[in-house]
Amino acid sequence: DVKLQKHYAKVVQKFNAKPKEGIKLLLATKSLEASTPADVARFLHNARGLNKKKIGEVIGTKDDFLSQVLEAFMDYMDLSKMEFDHALR
């Protein structure tokens, strides 16, 4: 769907410029079906084109909602086969 792709691209662009504003736009864009911390975490984990430093900045912010996003984001990561020191990085 072209409209959905445009919304997606707009959210990615906004996130890379201003992460918190990008998340607000993601939550406001009903067609992207994101309303919970888990939805946002899934988007941050799977979306192509997101600046990884910006992801770290925003999920490291002291904010109740974003703390829940961080927790959900960590659930998407499989660290079970990694050495302890590599998993920490």
Side-chain angles (χ1 to χ4, degrees), residues 29-89:
T29 305
K30 300 298 180 200
S31 60
L32 295 178
E33 298 179 10
S35 60
T36 67
D39 294 336
V40 174
R42 185 180 65 244
F43 177 80
L44 295 177
H45 189 265
N46 296 327
R48 294 179 187 222
L50 291 180
N51 182 315
K52 302 229 185 286
K53 288 184 182 180
K54 297 290 185 178
I55 293 172
E57 285 176 23
V58 78
I59 62 177
T61 303
K62 293 189 188 281
D63 173 278
D64 289 339
F65 182 80
L66 294 174
S67 292
Q68 292 174 29
V69 171
L70 172 60
E71 201 171 298
F73 186 83
M74 293 302 295
D75 288 341
Y76 282 102
M77 301 177 79
D78 180 13
L79 306 175
S80 63
K81 296 177 182 158
M82 297 180 86
E83 294 290 327
F84 181 74
D85 59 333
H86 289 286
L88 287 176
R89 292 184 195 144

